[in-house]
Amino acid sequence: MEKIINMLKFDSNGLIPAVVQNKDTKEILMVAYMNADTIRQTAETGRATFWSRSRNEVWVKGETSKNYMYVDEIRVDCDCDCLVVLAVPAGPACHTGNRTCFYRSVSGDSLVNAEDKEDLSDVMAVDQAVIIDRKKTPEQGR
């Protein structure tokens, strides 16, 4: 782990951004910051651990809410200045109770709930899967 940590390009505060992504769905759940110690702690415990810039302290995601992020893999970008943390969430990622911190979409000069749009796309994806299945395996009278 030390070899990897030494390769990373931390900012002047010793931090590196970490994009947390759902391992299974690939949905972006949140963005936080890590330092060398929190990267080590994440690797050792398997629970996503960050540096809270607002509280100036170590923060284990889910420590209060029990909505832990169980880390499957940490990826490093080509410049070694950003991380992607692939995790399995034990509940909502956002402190607001939303599945992801990115639950709002820009619409003109307003923010709207993006999950309303996602619900429609989920329905369309299911319908599309049914159509494809019926095309591949047609049955008389169906």
Side-chain angles (χ1 to χ4, degrees):
M1 181 57 64
E2 292 310 306
K3 181 179 176 183
I4 302 301
I5 288 173
N6 289 330
M7 292 172 55
L8 298 176
K9 296 177 185 170
F10 295 94
D11 69 13
S12 60
N13 296 313
L15 301 175
I16 188 168
V19 178
V20 181
Q21 186 176 24
N22 184 308
K23 171 192 174 275
D24 298 319
T25 68
K26 305 305 182 212
E27 180 177 36
I28 302 298
L29 300 174
M30 59 182 280
V31 176
Y33 289 85
M34 300 178 96
N35 61 25
D37 289 337
T38 61
I39 293 169
R40 284 185 201 97
Q41 189 172 337
T42 297
E44 289 171 10
T45 67
R47 290 183 177 169
T49 305
F50 306 102
W51 180 258
S52 171
R53 295 177 302 160
S54 60
R55 295 188 311 264
N56 204 32
E57 65 183 14
V58 171
W59 159 50
V60 178
K61 174 65 179 151
E63 199 166 49
T64 303
S65 67
K66 303 304 178 213
N67 294 331
Y68 293 103
M69 295 283 175
Y70 295 99
V71 176
D72 182 67
E73 182 180 355
I74 299 174
R75 295 185 180 180
V76 179
D77 79 329
C78 57
D79 295 322
C80 292
D81 63 1
C82 188
L83 305 174
V84 172
V85 177
L86 297 174
V88 177
C94 187
H95 72 279
T96 64
N98 285 284
R99 184 178 70 247
T100 170
C101 292
F102 297 94
Y103 63 93
R104 299 178 294 180
S105 178
V106 175
S107 178
D109 61 353
S110 299
L111 294 176
V112 296
N113 190 336
E115 295 201 0
D116 293 341
K117 293 179 184 179
E118 290 174 20
D119 290 343
L120 180 58
S121 66
D122 290 345
V123 169
M124 292 171 66
V126 170
D127 289 347
Q128 182 180 17
V130 169
I131 292 167
I132 291 168
D133 179 61
R134 287 184 182 173
K135 186 176 180 181
K136 286 181 180 178
T137 56
E139 292 181 17
Q140 190 70 21
R142 188 169 74 150

